[in-house]
Amino acid sequence: MKIIKLTTLAVVLASALSAGNVAKQSQLSSDMRDMLSAIQEIQKSGFYQDYDGMSSGVEKLKAGLKSLTTTDAKSYLPDDQAYADKFAKKRATMIEMYANDLSAAAKAKDMDEALEDYTQLLKQCTSCHSRIRAW
């Protein structure tokens, strides 16, 4: 009887942990879609030299970065890709740095610098996605 109770408890705990990871993955996916929308807003604003739109897009982008730093990608990536969690966190740091630079350039109405920072943002996003999605 004790073994049945322990087995049931183990299954319930494993299910709860799995559900927690699924919820975090779902939140990360949602935040990634929001960040893509923010990147598109920044790009569109750059075409029209809309500095306020660029700043708005940067703030939306930065709001989604928390998921990258708080989600443990090791929990859902294959074992040979577990290192990608650390890589993703580093990319998030770099994205935030370039986003801050872009925001400062937009406030200074320096479109050349803002677009350079936008390019660097895209490089960070692309490098992470190409590495993590390779699995």
Side-chain angles (χ1 to χ4, degrees), residues 3-41:
I3 292 175
I4 294 172
K5 286 181 183 179
L6 288 174
T7 304
T8 303
L9 179 63
V11 169
V12 168
L13 288 175
S15 297
L17 289 174
S18 177
N21 286 338
V22 169
K24 286 180 183 178
Q25 268 187 280
S26 178
Q27 182 62 47
L28 179 61
S29 295
S30 175
D31 288 345
M32 285 288 180
R33 285 188 296 276
D34 292 343
M35 287 190 288
L36 174 60
S37 177
I39 288 286
Q40 290 169 334
E41 181 178 337

Side-chain angles (χ1 to χ4, degrees), residues 3-115:
I3 292 175
I4 294 172
K5 286 181 183 179
L6 288 174
T7 304
T8 303
L9 179 63
V11 169
V12 168
L13 288 175
S15 297
L17 289 174
S18 177
N21 286 338
V22 169
K24 286 180 183 178
Q25 268 187 280
S26 178
Q27 182 62 47
L28 179 61
S29 295
S30 175
D31 288 345
M32 285 288 180
R33 285 188 296 276
D34 292 343
M35 287 190 288
L36 174 60
S37 177
I39 288 286
Q40 290 169 334
E41 181 178 337
I42 294 168
Q43 181 182 17
K44 181 180 174 184
S45 297
F47 278 119
Y48 296 105
Q49 295 198 2
D50 176 7
Y51 297 105
D52 292 334
M54 291 183 99
S55 294
S56 172
V58 166
E59 292 309 312
K60 290 175 186 174
L61 176 68
K62 287 170 54 176
L65 287 176
K66 185 176 181 186
S67 283
L68 288 175
T69 57
T70 59
T71 301
D72 183 14
K74 289 182 229 170
S75 65
Y76 59 85
L77 289 172
D79 290 338
D80 64 337
Q81 292 288 323
Y83 70 92
D85 182 60
K86 187 174 182 180
F87 183 78
K89 285 177 175 41
K90 177 66 175 174
R91 297 290 66 84
T93 301
M94 297 302 290
I95 289 168
E96 184 171 20
M97 180 187 76
Y98 288 121
N100 290 335
D101 289 351
L102 194 157
S103 184
K107 286 178 182 159
K109 299 197 183 310
D110 183 352
M111 187 55 71
D112 289 335
E113 184 63 29
L115 291 176

